[in-house]
């Protein structure tokens, strides 16, 4: 009974994971650059894919909307409209489209994460000595690295030099 009331008391109904909602066509800037006035509808369909919205009332207009609601609640919306006149592409208008497909963006993130992990591993190997303990080279004088003399006051900030005490009357 306690688990049931706890689950019902939250706004997430006890589910630990929310799925992102994606609707529409993901169109990239390179696909839009393929468009040229005078293209046939088949050529436009080949370049952009099948339109999400077509209307009987507006047969000369194709809509390519895109909507994504992330699990965090962030919403991304884009639209591209293609207009035909006399059976050929006349114009297109819409929002700025991304330069990459989602799988390309994800691949870049994975590659970046792998490169960072490899660099961290290299750094750890260079900083650690045998047995995983930080090795300090003998003969290093840390006073040459630090410009000021270390403070004798343990509560002082690192950049604040020691102050001489003032006698009270």
């Amino acid at each position: 009974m306690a688990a049931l009331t706890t689950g019902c008391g939250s706004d997430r109904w006890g589910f630990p994971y929310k799925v992102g909602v994606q609707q529409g066509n993901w169109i990239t800037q390179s696909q839009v650059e393929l468009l040229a006035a005078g293209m046939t509808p088949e050529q436009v369909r080949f370049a952009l894919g099948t339109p999400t919205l077509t209307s009987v009332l507006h047969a000369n207009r194709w809509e390519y909307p895109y909507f994504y609601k992330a699990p965090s609640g962030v919403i991304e919306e884009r639209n591209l409209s293609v207009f035909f006149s006399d059976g050929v592409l006349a114009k297109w208008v819409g929002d700025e489209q991304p330069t990459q497909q989602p799988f390309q963006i994800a691949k870049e993130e994975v590659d970046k994460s792998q490169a960072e992990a490899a660099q961290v591993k290299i750094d750890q190997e260079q900083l650690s000595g045998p047995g995983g303990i930080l090795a300090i080279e003998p003969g290093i004088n840390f006073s040459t690295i630090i410009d000021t003399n270390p403070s004798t006051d343990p509560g002082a900030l690192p950049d604040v030099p020691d102050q001489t005490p003032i006698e009270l009357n």
Side-chain angles (χ1 to χ4, degrees), residues 31-146:
Q31 288 174 290
V32 174
E33 291 171 357
L34 293 174
L35 298 178
M39 291 175 75
T40 64
E42 291 79 20
Q43 291 171 323
V44 173
R45 184 176 281 120
F46 181 77
L48 301 178
T50 304
T52 304
L53 300 173
T54 57
S55 172
V56 176
L57 301 175
H58 304 284
N60 293 331
R61 178 178 178 172
W62 289 358
E63 296 286 337
Y64 291 89
Y66 177 77
F67 173 87
Y68 178 70
K69 183 176 181 183
S72 64
V74 176
I75 295 176
E76 179 181 353
E77 291 184 78
R78 291 188 302 273
N79 191 28
L80 178 68
S81 299
V82 178
F83 299 90
F84 295 95
S85 178
D86 298 325
V88 294
L89 180 62
K91 68 176 184 174
W92 57 95
V93 294
D95 301 325
E96 184 176 342
Q97 304 297 322
T99 57
Q100 297 177 321
Q101 292 284 351
F103 67 88
Q104 293 169 317
I105 296 169
K107 184 180 181 314
E108 281 184 3
E109 292 296 321
V110 168
D111 291 345
K112 182 179 173 184
S113 295
Q114 289 174 345
E116 288 173 353
Q119 185 62 43
V120 166
K121 184 177 179 183
I122 290 169
D123 292 345
Q124 287 175 345
E125 289 172 356
Q126 289 176 349
L127 291 176
S128 63
I133 300 171
L134 183 63
I136 298 175
E137 294 291 327
I140 292 181
N141 184 359
F142 286 103
S143 63
T144 60
I145 299 171
I146 302 171

